[in-house]
Amino acid sequence: MEHIYGVNPVIAALKAKKREFKKLYVKTGQQKERLAEACALAYKMGLKVAEVDPQKLDGLANTTHHQSIVLECGLLPTLVIEDLIKRTPKLIIALDQIKDPQNVGAIIRSAAFLGADAIIHLDRNAAPLGSTVSKTSAGAMETFPIAQVQNLDKTLKILKKQGYFVYGASTEKALPYKKATLQDKLVLVMGNEGKGLRPLTAKGCDQMVYIPGRHGVESLNVSAAAAILLAHFGFA
């Protein structure tokens, strides 16, 4: 079991009904509209709602930024790559060992907003898809299609056989992203915060692209870079 916190993530999780739910906790005496909406959803599905003091919520969420609501629930189920392919996504974002949950959450939020169709995330040596990711994604993680894989190199090979063109994001000069050709079926691979793409992952890309910068700044945060590239490649 884990504890999701924040109004948007909790409401998104309850509406998505992907998880196993155990109990909803809200701050005693809170009458805010969005909290009432979450409680109404919980009551409708027969979920117990408990009013507790702020200290209890702090402990459950392991943070004070819980917005007076915490949902005790099971882990988020994810897709396997074969099931993701059956959904025929046009634009997939693949994450290569991104370890900061706030970066993963921000990328999921940008992907959902800017027209991507799915995320591929490693099931180890990467940020777990827990409460921090859900909160940072503003709840998008609860509904957005996410596949977890063990081997990204093999996964990219599978996708290429299905007709996907693979762009890899680079911090070094490669092809400026604005010159990259849009594809009908595309995978955009984003690398680790410090090391970028692993050599084997980069080797599996059809083309490396980069974002030209100014004023002596060498690179962007991976979530900011992903948003820029998504805005270019998105199919919204």
Side-chain angles (χ1 to χ4, degrees):
M1 286 287 172
E2 66 178 349
H3 296 91
I4 297 174
Y5 57 88
V7 177
N8 285 335
V10 169
I11 289 177
L14 291 172
K15 287 183 175 180
K17 298 180 181 179
K18 290 183 177 181
R19 298 176 182 261
E20 176 187 353
F21 303 125
K22 186 174 182 181
K23 186 184 287 188
L24 180 66
Y25 298 87
V26 296
K27 182 180 176 181
T28 302
Q30 286 284 10
Q31 301 296 327
K32 294 180 180 179
E33 181 179 351
R34 293 283 279 164
L35 288 182
E37 180 183 352
C39 291
L41 287 168
Y43 287 130
K44 188 174 182 180
M45 62 181 64
L47 181 64
K48 184 176 180 180
V49 179
E51 291 194 9
V52 297
D53 59 43
Q55 290 72 29
K56 175 69 172 180
L57 292 171
D58 296 348
L60 289 169
N62 198 30
T63 178
T64 59
H65 302 295
H66 44 64
Q67 297 180 317
S68 301
I69 187 166
V70 176
L71 176 63
E72 187 174 10
C73 57
L75 299 178
L76 179 72
T78 54
L79 301 167
V80 296
I81 192 62
E82 290 79 10
D83 289 335
L84 180 63
I85 290 172
K86 290 177 183 178
R87 295 178 176 225
T88 62
K90 292 183 176 181
L91 175 57
I92 301 171
I93 312 302
L95 309 183
D96 189 20
Q97 292 192 346
I98 296 182
K99 297 185 177 182
D100 186 333
Q102 293 191 348
N103 281 333
V104 175
I107 292 172
I108 293 172
R109 184 175 184 175
S110 294
F113 183 79
L114 292 170
D117 300 300
I119 291 275
I120 292 175
H121 190 52
L122 292 171
D123 62 5
R124 54 187 173 181
N125 295 319
L129 297 174
S131 57
T132 301
V133 176
S134 186
K135 180 64 167 63
T136 310
S137 76
M141 187 186 87
E142 303 299 324
T143 58
F144 198 72
I146 301 174
Q148 285 190 285
V149 301
Q150 292 184 349
N151 189 307
L152 186 55
D153 177 55
K154 289 183 179 179
T155 300
L156 293 179
K157 289 178 180 177
I158 291 171
L159 290 168
K160 289 168 79 169
K161 288 182 179 179
Q162 295 294 321
Y164 286 87
F165 190 92
V166 181
Y167 280 116
S170 175
T171 56
E172 300 178 359
K173 289 186 178 181
L175 179 70
Y177 77 97
K178 288 186 178 180
K179 294 185 178 180
T181 305
L182 300 181
Q183 308 287 335
D184 290 334
K185 297 170 69 175
L186 187 154
V187 181
L188 174 62
V189 191
M190 306 300 301
N192 174 268
E193 293 91 342
K195 299 179 180 179
L197 297 180
R198 289 173 292 168
L200 192 59
T201 304
K203 186 178 179 181
C205 297
D206 295 304
Q207 176 68 58
M208 302 297 291
V209 295
Y210 83 108
I211 302 170
R214 297 181 180 179
H215 303 298
V217 179
E218 292 183 359
S219 63
L220 291 168
N221 173 279
V222 65
S223 63
I228 290 172
L229 295 174
L230 281 165
H232 177 71
F233 290 115
F235 290 84

